[in-house]
Amino acid sequence: MSAALRGGDPGRRAERLPATVSVLVYGSAGILTLLALCWTLWHGVAEGGVALAFGGLVAVGELARLGAGGRDREPAPLGAAGALAYALLGEVGGRPTHHGVLQVIAVVVAAALVGAVPHVALGRGCARDHVARRVLTVGFAAACFQPLYNAGKLEDWVGHGPGFAVVIVALLVLTALCDAVLAAAMAYARTLPHGRKGTGGAPMPFGPILKNELRAMLGIGSAVCATGAVMALAVAVAGLWALPVFSLPLLLTQLSFGRYAAVRTTYRQTIASLARSTEIAGYTPQGHARRVAALSSAVGRELGLSPPDLAVLEHAALMHDIGQLSLVDPMPAGATAALPEAEQRRIALLGGAVVRQTGVNGDVAVVVERQADPYREQPLTARIVRAANAYDEMARGEGPGGPLNALERLRLGTGRDYQPEVVEALARVLSRGGHSLPPVG
């Protein structure tokens, strides 16, 4: 039976997957938003003062967000907490509320758009993924809570005591899991053809992506959920005055984290500049450090490394050749494998010393200075950088068969120079990316 009759070529189906995921996520969020806005405009806003208070909180959170979607999983924690609190709000100062699921979505979307205006005006763009996930997750939380509460079912089942708080926490956990799955699906789609970036041409498996999202949920995600739950319960008892009391600490934390993000951006730029120094001086080919870093990160994710280990791996891969600046004459194509082992070790130790002087994480320096050690004595991150660096050096400039030949040579060297599990993870990454090197420069 032909591939067309069986449902088409698998490669073509993989190429269509990013568009399918985008259509499902953006389409669902767009339909919900349009329906919510139309319904709210037609029926009017219930409890306008409450809606304005929570909408203002969400807008302030968006105004203070960490960037245009950026590298942070939750760029507007205060806005997310306020939106979740409104979705799970049943009373204000002991008086029942009457807003429904669609009004929750309409208020959150309107506030998010108001908060996004300054970012768009400054050229930072609008974080579409962030807004789409916010609509779907808040809609999920409101759909789980509002109908049951307004119908009196929750009061019949658990009353207003500790059981009610347990239900709120359980709904927040489910909402956080929903958000993690959405974020992982969108990140996975970006690693596939027509959407991949930053992985050395190879898409990441969905499992490690979801695991990373769940790990991130334990950090800022747990703080957002806890604040949202406390806000909803506090407003139900004390009224709207509870909002500034409970939102101010999170706002200050968000602003502080924004400063940390700016410092981290400068940190990454410094590392990238140091990595380019060997290329500018002619010791390594153009783009070599970036290619090794991208490939090392992809292999690290394939092996299930944690986000902190992945950050160390990326930075070490970028600066693994910094010790070559000590050479009087550059090695051809930056390949130091032909040097005596003692000289290789001297270069690696000097590179580690340079990294330590820059103030970079000491674990990065360890990976750099252990590059010349036998692989069985190296940490896993150093073994990954070693294999990725060797692959890039072997595959470059050998024509169409270069990547395959390089991979075979790595496999032949697993007895002494490379860890077999790392080489096989590299092979899986390359097979998904098509046995080709990323473009130079």
Side-chain angles (χ1 to χ4, degrees), residues 175-354:
T175 302
L177 291 175
C178 173
D179 184 51
V181 171
L182 279 174
M186 298 171 81
Y188 178 70
R190 287 194 295 269
T191 70
L192 293 167
H194 306 306
R196 59 177 170 242
K197 55 186 177 180
T199 61
M204 292 168 53
F206 180 76
I209 298 177
L210 180 58
K211 185 185 297 183
N212 288 339
E213 292 295 335
L214 292 174
R215 282 173 176 165
M217 186 179 67
L218 298 177
I220 190 67
S222 60
V224 168
C225 289
T227 305
V230 170
M231 280 184 181
L233 296 173
V235 169
V237 175
L240 295 176
W241 287 107
L243 283 181
V245 173
F246 288 98
S247 62
L248 185 59
L250 188 58
L251 177 60
L252 294 176
T253 301
Q254 180 173 338
L255 294 175
S256 299
F257 197 73
R259 291 178 177 271
Y260 166 75
V263 172
R264 188 174 61 179
T265 299
T266 304
Y267 177 82
R268 290 177 57 84
Q269 291 172 346
T270 301
I271 290 175
S273 298
L274 286 171
R276 288 202 62 202
S277 62
T278 56
E279 299 175 7
I280 295 172
Y283 284 87
T284 56
Q286 290 294 316
H288 170 69
R290 292 195 303 277
R291 292 194 300 272
V292 173
L295 196 53
S296 296
S297 297
V299 173
R301 284 187 287 264
E302 179 75 18
L303 292 173
L305 266 63
S306 65
D309 287 339
L310 286 173
V312 169
L313 177 63
E314 179 189 7
H315 297 162
L318 283 170
M319 296 192 291
H320 72 280
D321 278 329
I322 199 76
Q324 290 200 37
L325 293 175
S326 65
L327 295 174
V328 177
D329 296 313
M331 295 296 296
T336 58
L339 293 174
E341 289 187 5
E343 182 67 5
Q344 294 183 40
R345 186 166 287 105
R346 185 191 69 81
I347 293 172
L349 290 174
L350 181 61
V354 171

Side-chain angles (χ1 to χ4, degrees), residues 41-53:
L41 290 173
W42 180 263
H43 293 278
V45 178
E47 291 100 18
V50 177
L52 182 61

Side-chain angles (χ1 to χ4, degrees), residues 288 292 385-395 406 410 418:
H288 170 69
V292 173
V385 174
R386 181 178 189 146
N389 175 60
Y391 172 80
D392 187 79
E393 290 180 351
M394 295 176 186
L410 287 179
Y418 312 107

Side-chain angles (χ1 to χ4, degrees), residues 11-27:
R12 292 183 178 274
R13 290 200 300 271
E15 291 179 1
R16 290 195 296 267
L17 186 55
T20 302
V21 173
S22 298
V23 168
L24 287 175
V25 174
Y26 294 132

